[in-house]
Amino acid sequence: MNSIAILLFDGVEELDAVGPWEVFAWAAKEGSPPKPMSVFTLSGDGAPVTCGKGMVITPDHSFETAPQIDILLIPGGPGTRPMIKDEAMLDWVRKTAAGCTWITAVCTGAMVLAKAGLAKGKRITTYHDVVEPMRQWSDAEVLAGVRFVRDGNLVTSAGVSAGIDMALWLVGQLAGADYAREVQQGIEYFPAPPYSYEA
């Protein structure tokens, strides 16, 4: 069983967490994955968290009650700014990551991985407005203009909706590309925005 944990905290960006949740939950429950997987949410104390834009989510577990974590996902959002100064949180991330097969982050969640020392010398990406600042203080190679980056067992994605792309790719690694395509079809994720954007 691949056990996927999504870390929640006050100020988490909603889609950073809920987008990957939708992918993993659909893969685990709606389809028939070749390799079983499960997904749950957790926070430090298990209490409800207020997201960056006001959504309130009650985590499934606290750190103490959480089951085995095989894959850790750290979303981004304004709440990552205090997290990178919270030594107890960074220590939990380090200890948890040591037992994971995959360590992942969406958006500014990459800052938490970097501050925890898990991105040293690795290629990562993050939210576009944070790329340059991270290049100034982190010991990682921070890439711009990509949806997600894999370096070893570390996978990071750009902001918000990019976490869905990363999650689908990870489902492909866990259960095969064909099954990941079934999941993509199941959630009807075929982006065709009404307005084009040129960088």
Side-chain angles (χ1 to χ4, degrees), residues 25-198:
W26 202 101
K29 298 176 182 178
E30 300 297 332
S32 300
K35 295 182 180 178
M37 64 184 74
S38 64
V39 59
F40 62 88
T41 56
L42 79 165
S43 68
D45 60 6
V49 301
T50 300
C51 302
K53 295 181 177 67
M55 178 185 284
V56 177
I57 305 177
T58 301
D60 298 311
H61 295 283
S62 68
F63 288 172
E64 289 187 359
T65 66
Q68 169 67 33
I69 298 173
D70 300 311
I71 299 162
L72 176 64
L73 186 143
I74 302 177
T80 55
R81 275 64 170 185
M83 285 176 66
I84 63 175
K85 300 175 183 177
D86 184 340
E87 283 303 321
M89 176 64 76
L90 295 177
D91 190 52
W92 180 86
V93 170
R94 290 184 199 102
K95 290 178 179 177
T96 302
C100 291
T101 53
W102 292 97
I103 307 152
T104 73
V106 180
C107 194
T108 57
M111 296 196 311
V112 178
L113 295 183
K115 283 292 186 180
L118 300 174
K120 184 176 182 178
K122 293 184 177 290
R123 294 175 300 114
I124 64 171
T125 194
T126 186
Y127 186 62
H128 60 86
D129 280 350
V130 182
V131 169
E132 285 302 327
M134 277 198 73
R135 285 174 175 169
Q136 299 303 312
W137 63 259
S138 78
D139 51 11
E141 181 184 352
V142 187
L143 306 182
V146 291
R147 293 289 281 175
F148 65 90
V149 177
R150 180 258 181 106
D151 191 329
N153 70 337
L154 186 72
V155 191
T156 54
S157 80
V160 198
S161 67
I164 298 173
D165 294 17
M166 181 184 74
L168 280 167
W169 178 85
L170 192 54
V171 168
Q173 299 304 297
L174 299 174
D178 287 344
Y179 186 66
R181 291 186 185 99
E182 290 182 30
V183 174
Q184 184 173 355
Q185 175 69 44
I187 65 173
E188 294 199 4
Y189 181 63
F190 304 105
Y195 305 105
S196 61
Y197 173 76
E198 294 182 4

